[in-house]
Amino acid sequence: MSETAIPLPAIRIRGRTFMAMVVMPESPFGAWLDALDRQIQRSVGFFEGRPVVVNLALLAMTGDDLPAVLKALEARDLRIIGVEGVEMERLAGTPWFGVNLAPPGREGRSDRAIEIPEPEAAMAVEAPAAPLVPSARPSLLIDRPVRSGQSIVFEDGDITVIGPVASGAELIAGGSIHVYGTLRGRAVAGLANGHEARIFCSRLAAELLAIDGLYRTADHWGTGLQGRAVQVWLDDKELRLAALG
């Protein structure tokens, strides 16, 4: 009886870059958790749908029950995808054992601080005081629609999309974001150049807009802007929106 070699199916492996929020609980944990609850109440939607990494370094040397800490965060609908800052043996027998994302020596880029704003402090809508200055930064041109579920990340400069951005899609740029079409989904700008970044779109229908860690959701950018051409910029620590034309 002869043996016949059976060809194995091809397996495709693809990489993806995405942005996760890093939460770092502090001691005393009860007071920190109360502060988190107040921020969640004031900034509804900030963690919604976002992956979260919990850094337990500040609690690792305390007597806090670390599994209980993670359970408390999960009860607040934080999507925990990884734990760091603690030896995994302390989480043995829990759902979080082994979910350290980066082995030693492969941590990648360092974290950036993100300030959770007060929605009532970011409601002003006014025209910018200074004209725009063209930038010489690198840019990424997307000459097709961005579909739902796609995440376009370009941390080195601006992103320009010629076409619409679908609901459920995400644009993350180190510089500014330009959308020549309807902007739905999420647009996060200014990872690299902070206050210099802006967001432009031909028609605003987004779920979330953010620049340099300050964000606004669709419920908090005032009346008369939905469906219009809009630009977004930072004025000190306030995220402002204004119609174009």
Side-chain angles (χ1 to χ4, degrees):
M1 184 175 180
S2 62
E3 295 183 359
T4 303
I6 301 175
L8 296 176
I11 298 177
R12 302 186 180 212
I13 300 177
R14 304 177 64 182
R16 173 177 295 178
T17 300
F18 63 91
M19 184 175 70
M21 303 293 182
V22 178
V23 174
M24 198 169 190
E26 302 177 11
S27 183
F29 178 67
W32 182 89
L33 194 62
D34 289 341
L36 176 66
D37 286 337
R38 291 192 295 271
Q39 288 285 11
I40 290 175
Q41 290 173 2
R42 290 194 294 263
S43 305
V44 177
F46 183 76
F47 289 105
E48 184 177 357
R50 301 297 313 187
V52 172
V53 175
V54 182
N55 188 321
L56 294 173
L58 297 180
L59 297 182
M61 303 302 294
T62 69
D64 289 283
D65 184 345
L66 299 185
V69 169
L70 296 171
K71 188 174 181 180
L73 296 178
E74 192 175 59
R76 286 154 175 81
D77 295 327
L78 270 65
R79 292 178 52 201
I80 301 175
I81 64 167
V83 179
E84 60 185 17
V86 66
E87 295 181 358
M88 279 292 111
E89 288 72 14
R90 295 188 61 179
L91 301 178
T94 74
W96 301 282
F97 178 72
V99 292
N100 48 331
L101 293 183
R106 298 182 59 187
E107 289 81 3
R109 300 192 179 193
S110 59
D111 304 336
R112 297 179 68 256
I114 294 180
E115 180 179 347
I116 304 179
E118 304 291 343
E120 60 270 18
M123 293 299 293
V125 176
E126 61 185 45
L132 299 180
V133 178
S135 171
R137 290 186 300 269
S139 62
L140 174 66
L141 175 64
I142 308 295
D143 59 356
R144 62 188 181 278
V146 180
R147 299 187 301 273
S148 179
Q150 284 189 294
S151 181
I152 307 296
V153 181
F154 187 68
E155 298 186 20
D156 296 327
D158 299 352
I159 294 178
T160 300
V161 179
I162 302 176
V165 177
S167 177
E170 184 175 59
L171 303 176
I172 301 175
S176 298
I177 293 176
H178 309 256
V179 177
Y180 295 96
T182 301
L183 173 58
R184 299 182 176 88
R186 297 172 182 244
V188 180
L191 294 186
N193 66 335
H195 277 61
E196 297 178 10
R198 299 197 179 209
I199 299 174
F200 303 88
C201 66
S202 299
R203 185 173 182 271
L204 178 64
E207 301 158 11
L208 180 144
L209 302 172
I211 299 178
D212 195 30
L214 296 177
Y215 86 105
R216 298 266 292 274
T217 60
D219 296 332
H220 298 112
W221 53 55
T223 60
L225 294 176
Q226 196 77 353
R228 299 187 63 183
V230 166
Q231 71 163 313
V232 188
W233 74 100
L234 282 181
D235 180 9
D236 192 14
K237 292 187 177 180
E238 293 187 5
L239 193 67
R240 299 184 181 275
L241 290 83
L244 292 171

